[in-house]
């Protein structure tokens, strides 16, 4: 029983990170109608920048409990990449989807070179066992790394914050109106350039924060963005394209299923995920929460 709970909690930890990347992907598609392959690159950039910023914090003698805030700050700082990249994407908003995929894939390749230029090709890992700084929580035979609980709580808080932002604020109402009918929003005086820039920046921040938060538990490698984007698209298909609730549910399904597969039959990790994807495509082609588009 304890082992099963550990597997599930490990899956929820991965789901919390996966949700952040998938939420950024969903948000950008929901408003700008672009399938942004580069969201995996934002995740990788967040991981590398998180390693650098926490290494600096360790050298500066910052207290260990602040490391999580440093990682979040690393992700938020990288949101500065959002406006210039969104400006580049404006050239293809009304073009064919294949061109959008080609351009965003070109961004993936460019960011891989950027990472090699600044951090090299070797994997980077945090020194000082930052993952263990927060200790472990023991409940009977169940032992849970506290850092995992922090990331799960952070993912939940960000999901709740996204819901509040999109439903309760004026910015959220404008975003939902733009997602529903761009031309009508423009006719009512909404500056779509302003909306697109902020939505894309928010999507970048979600991906980079996800990458930064995962780095104490793993190593930063250049291919990590490609690996995660495959899972993020599985989340999108399961949850429904453009649905924030779908991103949350899909991330939980993929995260827990992946953890169970790794613990039992690691050889079928991706196969298990795509069996679910195929099942959803057959039974509900639009995804589980397609009507909840934001």
């Amino acid at each position: 029983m304890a082992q099963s709970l550990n597997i599930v909690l490990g899956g929820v930890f991965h789901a919390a990170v996966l949700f952040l990347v998938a939420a950024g992907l969903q948000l950008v598609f929901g408003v700008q109608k672009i399938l942004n392959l580069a969201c995996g690159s934002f995740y990788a950039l967040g991981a590398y920048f998180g390693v650098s910023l926490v290494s600096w914090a360790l050298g500066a003698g910052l207290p260990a409990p602040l490391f999580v805030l440093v990682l979040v700050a690393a992700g938020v700082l990288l949101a500065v990449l959002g406006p210039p990249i969104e400006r580049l994407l404006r050239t293809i908003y009304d073009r064919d989807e294949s061109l959008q995929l080609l351009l965003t894939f070109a961004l993936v390749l460019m960011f891989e070179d950027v990472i090699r230029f600044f951090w090299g090709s070797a994997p980077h890992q945090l020194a000082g066992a930052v993952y263990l700084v927060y200790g472990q929580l023991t409940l009977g035979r169940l032992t849970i790394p506290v850092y995992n609980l922090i990331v799960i709580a952070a993912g939940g808080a960000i999901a709740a914050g996204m819901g509040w932002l999109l439903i309760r604020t004026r910015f959220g109402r404008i975003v939902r109106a733009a997602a529903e009918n761009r031309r009508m929003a423009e006719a009512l005086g909404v500056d779509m350039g302003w909306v697109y820039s902020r939505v894309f920046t928010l999507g970048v921040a979600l991906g980079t924060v996800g990458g930064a938060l995962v780095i104490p538990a793993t190593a930063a490698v250049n291919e990590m963005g490609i690996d995660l984007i495959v899972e993020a698209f599985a989340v999108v298909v399961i949850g429904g394209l453009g649905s924030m609730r779908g991103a949350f549910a899909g991330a939980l399904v993929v995260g827990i299923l992946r953890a169970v597969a790794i613990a039992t039959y690691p050889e079928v990790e991706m196969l298990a995920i795509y069996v679910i994807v195929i099942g959803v495509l057959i039974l509900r082609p639009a995804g589980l929460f397609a009507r909840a588009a934001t």
Side-chain angles (χ1 to χ4, degrees):
M1 183 64 180
Q3 186 180 2
S4 299
L5 285 174
N6 263 327
I7 292 170
V8 170
L9 283 171
V12 175
F13 167 76
H14 184 70
V17 174
L18 187 55
F19 164 75
L20 296 178
V21 179
L25 182 65
Q26 296 279 48
L27 188 64
V28 169
F29 179 82
V31 178
Q32 296 167 254
K33 312 304 178 192
I34 285 184
L35 279 173
N36 180 25
L37 295 177
C39 66
S41 299
F42 302 142
Y43 170 76
L45 279 170
Y48 276 93
F49 194 53
V51 170
S52 297
L53 211 58
V54 170
S55 297
W56 169 82
L58 282 167
L62 247 61
L66 296 180
F67 289 163
V68 170
L69 296 179
V70 173
L71 288 168
V72 172
V76 171
L77 286 173
L78 282 175
V80 72
L81 295 172
I85 296 175
E86 190 277 332
R87 178 72 66 173
L88 173 65
L89 293 177
R90 284 184 190 183
T91 58
I92 57 167
Y93 280 153
D94 296 320
R95 308 288 289 276
D96 189 77
E97 288 84 356
S98 60
L99 193 60
Q100 297 175 1
L101 290 174
L102 282 174
L103 180 56
T104 54
F105 185 67
L107 289 173
V108 172
L109 300 178
M110 290 168 64
F111 279 123
E112 282 191 355
D113 283 346
V114 168
I115 288 173
R116 286 194 192 93
F117 180 81
F118 285 104
W119 288 281
S121 299
H124 285 246
Q125 200 161 14
L126 282 174
V130 170
Y131 185 67
L132 300 176
V133 162
Y134 297 93
Q136 295 181 325
L137 180 66
T138 302
L139 299 172
R141 297 175 59 188
L142 183 65
T143 301
I144 312 165
V146 173
Y147 184 77
N148 284 14
L149 296 178
I150 293 173
V151 172
I152 291 169
I158 291 173
M162 287 291 296
W164 174 82
L165 178 72
L166 292 173
I167 295 172
R168 300 293 183 187
T169 67
R170 181 174 181 273
F171 173 73
R173 288 191 288 273
I174 291 174
V175 167
R176 285 187 287 125
E180 192 67 31
N181 192 321
R182 187 186 76 175
R183 296 193 185 282
M184 180 63 74
E186 280 181 314
L188 292 173
V190 174
D191 182 347
M192 293 307 298
W194 181 87
V195 173
Y196 283 176
S197 178
R198 278 148 186 79
V199 164
F200 194 82
T201 301
L202 184 56
V204 171
L206 287 168
T208 51
V209 168
L213 284 176
V214 81
I215 203 57
T218 185
V221 294
N222 209 342
E223 299 78 16
M224 64 190 297
I226 298 289
D227 294 340
L228 196 85
I229 194 65
V230 174
E231 294 182 10
F233 273 96
V235 168
V236 167
V237 172
I238 292 171
L241 198 54
S243 165
M244 201 57 67
R245 283 197 300 168
F248 186 82
L252 276 177
V253 170
V254 172
I256 294 174
L257 189 63
R258 174 180 175 272
V260 172
I262 290 175
T264 53
Y265 297 100
E267 299 84 359
V268 301
E269 174 194 347
M270 293 308 297
L271 174 65
I273 293 172
Y274 281 101
V275 166
I276 298 297
V277 168
I278 292 170
V280 171
L281 284 174
I282 292 173
L283 298 174
R284 290 181 66 89
L288 300 177
F289 293 90
R291 296 294 300 169
T294 52

